[in-house]
Amino acid sequence: MTQGPEIVNQTAVTEFFFSEFPNLEEGGLLFFFPLLLIYVFIITGNLVIFIVIQLDVALHTPMYFFISVLSFLEIWYTTTTIPKMLTNLVSVQKTISVAGCLLQMYFFHSLGISEGCLLTAMAIDRYVAICKPLHYPTIVTPRLCSQLTAGSCLCGFLLVLPEIVWISTLPFCGPNQIHQIFCDFTPVLNLACTDTSLIVIVDAIHAVEILASFLVIALSYIRIILVILRIPSVEGRHKAFSTCAAHIAVFLLFFGSVALMYLRFSATYSMFWDTAIAITFVVLAPFLNPIIYSLRNKDMKEAIKRFLCPQKWDNRAEG
């Protein structure tokens, strides 16, 4: 006789409620405008980098090709979470449908994994450029760049799919409060009214993937730094290091936030630190990436100036 109500309860939850967002009267607008400005900067900065690299012939090299792809992925990566966060800051109903939540998780993690794989490809590119410069043109060809990019995206969008499909089959019967600022695996699985112990295996697989990418990139850059230190001239060392300094900064920022978010194992954080780490992962890292790749790169800065002020550069060329 109790089966009927249980079935009803298990199918009752059709949307989730984000409990970590302040209401308007609690200062929601104080967070809304800074986040909106950051989002506009992320989209504009990455879009400018992508367009400039596509249009400027001087930047048609493997390194800048990978940077353009990374900027393109960053645009969509932030779009999966920040617009919904902005809506939740100013709306009374801070909800998301179950289907919308699953889609957000899928695209957020797919794009994140794709970026991680792409950073691995970029580390390999810098390794070959600095450690095997004479063989670089024959090894890192446009075809290989396209294959590595396609492989990174394919890897990202296929690896998460089985997990999302499995979660979509789980019953959710309440409570429906997500204790996070976006839909993520652990907060959503905590709401399922069935055994989710299988997620431990899935988490272990993801942890191995993250650690494998981290080790490949770290070993590549360690090897690069050792080679740079053996360059006799100070100018040569500075020039070689400047070509990969931005990559190392993005690598540390990306995998540092990933490690805090997903490799905590048995460690538990307070709600404040959970939210702070999520903001670093979702907002801060994408915000700093355009700055790192544009302000610390002389060729990129000049290309952006030519793109924004073409007449000024044409006059210089004629003079």
Side-chain angles (χ1 to χ4, degrees), residues 13 15-20 94-96 172-180 182 186-192 271:
V13 173
E15 61 182 15
F16 296 121
F17 173 78
F18 292 101
S19 62
E20 299 308 306
K94 307 175 191 304
T95 59
I96 187 171
F172 295 95
C173 49
N176 67 337
Q177 289 190 348
I178 295 179
H179 298 291
Q180 189 51 277
F182 65 97
T186 301
V188 171
L189 286 170
N190 287 337
L191 304 180
M271 201 61 65

Side-chain angles (χ1 to χ4, degrees), residues 45-275:
N46 282 297
L47 194 60
V48 167
I49 289 173
F50 177 79
I51 293 173
V52 165
I53 292 174
Q54 299 303 313
L55 297 180
D56 199 308
V57 179
L59 300 181
H60 288 180
T61 63
M63 182 181 78
Y64 289 109
F65 170 77
F66 286 129
I67 290 175
S68 72
V69 176
L70 184 66
S71 295
F72 181 78
L73 291 175
E74 283 278 70
I75 292 171
W76 297 108
Y77 174 75
T78 53
T79 301
T80 61
T81 55
I82 295 182
K84 185 60 181 175
M85 289 163 60
L86 289 167
T87 303
N88 288 333
L89 284 170
V90 295
S91 64
V92 177
Q93 298 295 328
K94 307 175 191 304
T95 59
I96 187 171
S97 66
V98 173
C101 189
L102 291 172
L103 284 173
Q104 187 182 69
M105 282 195 295
Y106 175 66
F107 284 108
F108 176 76
H109 284 281
S110 295
L111 290 163
I113 292 173
S114 298
E115 285 191 19
C117 294
L118 192 67
L119 287 173
T120 307
M122 293 168 75
I124 295 170
D125 169 68
R126 290 299 85 204
Y127 171 81
V128 177
I130 293 173
C131 300
K132 300 180 183 296
L134 297 178
H135 301 284
Y136 182 75
T138 56
I139 295 175
V140 186
T141 60
R143 182 179 180 182
L144 179 64
C145 293
S146 300
Q147 290 173 341
L148 288 172
T149 301
S152 297
C153 295
L154 196 64
C155 182
F157 282 85
L158 289 181
L159 280 176
V160 187
L161 191 58
E163 193 168 0
I164 295 296
V165 171
W166 171 61
I167 294 174
S168 69
T169 65
L170 299 178
F172 295 95
C173 49
N176 67 337
Q177 289 190 348
I178 295 179
H179 298 291
Q180 189 51 277
I181 57 175
F182 65 97
C183 287
D184 206 0
F185 290 131
T186 301
V188 171
L189 286 170
N190 287 337
L191 304 180
C193 40
T194 187
D195 180 28
T196 58
S197 57
L198 184 64
I199 195 63
V200 175
I201 300 173
V202 179
D203 285 344
I205 294 171
H206 288 326
V208 170
E209 294 164 359
I210 294 169
L211 290 172
S213 294
F214 176 85
L215 287 174
V216 170
I217 298 173
L219 290 173
S220 297
Y221 285 128
I222 289 171
R223 175 62 178 163
I224 288 169
I225 292 170
L226 291 174
V227 170
I228 291 174
L229 292 175
R230 290 202 295 266
I231 297 175
S233 67
V234 176
E235 185 181 350
R237 286 198 300 269
H238 178 74
K239 184 177 179 180
F241 185 74
S242 65
T243 62
C244 61
H247 299 285
I248 294 175
V250 171
F251 156 66
L252 292 174
L253 190 63
F254 180 84
F255 279 94
S257 57
V258 167
L260 285 172
M261 192 78 177
Y262 297 110
L263 298 182
R264 65 182 68 182
F265 300 107
S266 60
T268 55
Y269 304 135
S270 66
M271 201 61 65
F272 171 80
W273 285 111
D274 253 349
T275 305

Side-chain angles (χ1 to χ4, degrees), residues 294-312:
S294 58
L295 296 183
R296 289 189 55 85
N297 189 303
K298 182 181 177 182
D299 294 336
M300 182 65 72
K301 283 191 289 187
E302 290 180 355
I304 291 174
K305 289 176 182 176
R306 287 195 295 271
F307 173 71
L308 297 177
C309 306
Q311 292 181 345
K312 182 179 178 181

